[in-house]
């Protein structure tokens, strides 16, 4: 059968190396879902696929071996998963309305991990609701702390949890546990002054090691949630590079607004003749200049007073 491959890919099916056969890509924002949906994925794979399932590096599922003519039936079977994960949809039983914006990935977060500074699943799902569906090629990743288990610096937007440590001197017993932990495990942002830990705000990366290692809870995390936002990391054939810091001690509302503003920026400046109608955001910034991107990104954004904005931002990496 003839197939419009652009329409196929937009519906989140993949062009494969076998003629007439595709693979369904299933979104799982934050990489977290109820286990009951696994049986539905199994049913799709065994009924219309080749009986196997691939777990993608973006924390979704890919079901290979699906015939082109079975795509409408697969979309119907995907409906309970789409509704259960609250994925934005244009029309029921038609599958995913776009595939340009990739699945938002996340580490397991503070629902499980003691190092995580926030609920990564909740933030990933919030961002998903704001930016999907969209045909533009965006990659977003969230991680709970500077350990960066989600490798967020490899994405267009990397969101890293930061704990602003709050110190209560009356609870401190001058044991030095926080100073030792910061020296061994982090950036040596603490030093003893008159038998009390003193924090170097410029060195502190918000990892929370002081909080985790204090036996008397003299150090606690601020109840406000802060993040480090990195920009324009990428892999691929041409000029791979790590994302660079844009804003430290930024809040979630500002991050969501910056990402949405970037969609407007890309729509304004994207090369319409780019292969496949796609151009990586980093190349657009290289072409327009960082200050132009920054102007669009920070439009109507109200940053917290403690936010530190890096400007200008320069990217390193392989150049071809």
């Amino acid at each position: 059968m003839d197939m419009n491959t652009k329409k196929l890919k937009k519906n989140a099916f993949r062009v494969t190396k076998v003629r007439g056969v595709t693979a369904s890509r299933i979104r799982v924002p934050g990489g977290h879902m109820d286990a009951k949906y696994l049986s539905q994925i199994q049913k799709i794979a065994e009924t219309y696929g080749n009986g196997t399932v691939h777990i993608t590096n973006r924390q979704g599922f890919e079901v290979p071996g699906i015939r082109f003519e079975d795509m409408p039936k697969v979309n119907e079977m995907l409906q309970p998963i789409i509704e259960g994960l609250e994925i934005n949809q244009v029309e029921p039983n038609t599958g995913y309305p776009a595939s340009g914006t990739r699945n938002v990935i996340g580490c397991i977060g503070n629902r499980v991990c003691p190092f995580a500074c926030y609920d990564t699943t909740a933030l990933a799902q919030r961002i998903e609701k704001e930016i999907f569906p969209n045909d533009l090629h965006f990659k977003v990743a969230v991680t709970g702390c500077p350990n960066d288990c989600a490798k967020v610096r490899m994405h267009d937007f990397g969101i890293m949890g930061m704990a602003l440590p709050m110190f209560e001197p009356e609870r401190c017993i001058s044991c030095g546990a926080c100073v030792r932990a910061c020296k061994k495990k982090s950036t040596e942002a603490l030093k003893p002054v008159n038998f009390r830990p003193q924090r170097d705000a410029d060195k502190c990366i918000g990892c929370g090691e002081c909080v985790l290692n204090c036996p008397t809870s003299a150090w606690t995390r601020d109840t406000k949630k802060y993040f480090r936002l990195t920009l324009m990391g990428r892999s691929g054939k041409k000029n791979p590079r790590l994302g660079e810091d844009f804003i430290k001690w930024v809040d979630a509302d500002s991050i969501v607004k910056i990402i949405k503003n970037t969609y407007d920026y890309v729509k304004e400046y994207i090369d319409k003749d780019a292969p496949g109608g796609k151009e990586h955001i980093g190349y657009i910034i290289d072409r327009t200049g960082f200050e132009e991107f920054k102007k669009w990104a920070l439009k109507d954004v109200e940053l917290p007073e403690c936010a530190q904005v890096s400007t200008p931002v320069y990217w390193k990496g392989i150049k071809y």
Side-chain angles (χ1 to χ4, degrees):
M1 63 182 293
D2 291 332
M3 174 58 61
N4 183 331
T5 56
K6 288 185 178 181
K7 183 178 179 181
L8 174 146
K9 289 188 286 186
K10 184 176 179 179
N11 199 197
F13 287 90
R14 180 185 292 280
V15 175
T16 72
K17 60 193 296 183
V18 180
R19 186 173 178 84
V21 174
T22 183
S24 173
R25 290 176 284 185
I26 301 171
R27 298 180 72 87
V28 185
H32 189 89
M33 67 178 188
D34 290 343
K36 63 183 179 181
Y37 298 117
L38 294 173
S39 61
Q40 185 70 3
I41 295 171
Q42 176 188 3
K43 188 175 180 180
I44 294 171
E46 293 177 345
T47 304
Y48 295 111
N50 62 11
T52 69
V53 175
H54 177 73
I55 301 174
T56 74
N57 62 353
R58 297 207 64 80
Q59 297 182 321
F61 293 93
E62 190 159 311
V63 180
I66 298 169
R67 297 179 301 171
F68 285 173
E69 55 265 32
D70 289 332
M71 287 191 297
K73 298 174 183 176
V74 170
N75 279 335
E76 290 181 10
M77 292 186 71
L78 285 171
Q79 192 60 29
I81 301 173
I82 292 172
E83 291 179 356
L85 297 183
E86 299 182 353
I87 306 295
N88 292 335
Q89 201 173 21
V90 175
E91 186 178 345
N93 297 312
T94 58
Y96 299 97
S99 64
T101 293
R102 299 298 192 254
N103 189 56
V104 182
I105 74 170
C107 73
I108 199 164
N110 71 359
R111 295 183 185 182
V112 175
C113 179
F115 295 101
C117 301
Y118 71 103
D119 187 337
T120 53
T121 298
L123 182 58
Q125 291 172 343
R126 175 185 175 183
I127 295 173
E128 166 80 13
K129 296 293 287 185
E130 294 281 356
I131 67 176
F132 185 81
N134 200 295
D135 290 328
L136 295 178
H137 189 96
F138 276 45
K139 292 180 178 178
V140 182
V142 299
T143 197
C145 75
N147 283 332
D148 193 10
C149 296
K151 306 297 184 290
V152 301
R153 290 187 182 273
M154 296 295 293
H155 297 75
D156 300 311
F157 292 98
I159 302 161
M160 185 182 300
M162 299 178 74
L164 183 60
M166 309 300 289
F167 184 61
E168 296 182 51
E170 65 275 9
R171 299 184 68 91
C172 179
I173 58 173
S174 303
C175 66
C178 59
V179 175
R180 291 191 297 273
C182 190
K183 181 178 181 179
K184 291 180 180 179
K185 300 179 182 180
S186 192
T187 58
E188 205 167 350
L190 296 178
K191 64 178 181 180
V193 177
N194 294 328
F195 302 100
R196 287 287 189 271
Q198 186 176 83
R199 172 175 167 264
D200 185 333
D202 292 330
K203 278 189 174 183
C204 179
I205 59 173
C207 64
E209 285 291 344
C210 54
V211 177
L212 292 170
N213 287 275
C214 180
T216 62
S217 298
W219 287 107
T220 56
R221 291 184 170 100
D222 192 335
T223 55
K224 297 178 182 177
K225 301 299 181 183
Y226 295 105
F227 308 86
R228 178 190 302 264
L229 177 63
T230 68
L231 292 179
M232 306 308 140
R234 65 183 179 224
S235 55
K237 306 180 187 72
K238 187 178 180 182
N239 303 338
R241 66 192 188 191
L242 291 177
E244 294 287 344
D245 286 357
F246 180 31
I247 310 177
K248 292 185 289 185
W249 306 111
V250 61
D251 62 302
D253 290 345
S254 296
I255 289 173
V256 171
K257 180 63 175 173
I258 289 169
I259 295 174
K260 293 175 70 175
N261 283 345
T262 302
Y263 279 90
D264 295 333
Y265 162 81
V266 171
K267 290 174 184 176
E268 177 71 16
Y269 288 112
I270 192 170
D271 181 0
K272 303 297 192 300
D273 297 323
K278 296 179 181 179
E279 184 181 24
H280 192 280
I281 312 168
Y283 295 127
I284 302 175
I285 295 175
D286 292 343
R287 190 172 68 248
T288 68
F290 174 77
E291 291 302 322
E292 180 66 13
F293 164 77
K294 178 185 170 185
K295 181 181 74 175
W296 284 74
L298 294 181
K299 181 181 178 182
D300 299 326
V301 174
E302 296 182 8
L303 295 171
E305 290 185 8
C306 60
Q308 299 174 6
V309 181
S310 299
T311 185
V313 174
Y314 297 103
W315 287 271
K316 300 172 284 292
I318 300 171
K319 295 290 185 181
Y320 291 113

